[in-house]
Amino acid sequence: RDERLADRGQAIACYCGGGFRSALAAKTLQEMGFSDVKSMAGGWTAWTERSLPIERPKASGENNETTVGFSLP
């Protein structure tokens, strides 16, 4: 089991292309006991269409656990 899943109060942001699959994933995570779960409304498509900020991965050789970063408004 992944150690990062031990804290069910940690913040989790789910996203997909259009927002539907991430909403399902967020609902499932909440049903599993995770309390701070968000789904990005409209998905990645809406995010990029609104020109919201995107943080690119670190350079090769650095820790790349997160491929993109964003802050939900």
Side-chain angles (χ1 to χ4, degrees):
R1 184 166 191 201
D2 192 323
E3 293 176 12
R4 294 173 292 183
L5 300 177
D7 178 8
R8 297 199 180 244
Q10 69 180 310
I12 299 174
C14 301
Y15 67 94
C16 65
F20 181 72
R21 290 168 296 171
S22 63
L24 291 175
K27 181 177 184 277
T28 301
L29 288 165
Q30 289 170 339
E31 290 170 352
M32 293 171 61
F34 291 89
S35 59
D36 190 8
V37 181
K38 306 280 190 283
S39 175
M40 187 178 357
W44 191 249
T45 301
W47 189 271
T48 56
E49 284 176 352
R50 292 175 61 196
S51 298
L52 294 169
I54 300 168
E55 182 180 313
R56 298 290 176 195
K58 296 176 183 175
S60 180
E62 295 183 38
N63 183 346
N64 284 327
E65 287 183 6
T66 303
T67 56
V68 291
F70 53 89
S71 240
L72 295 176

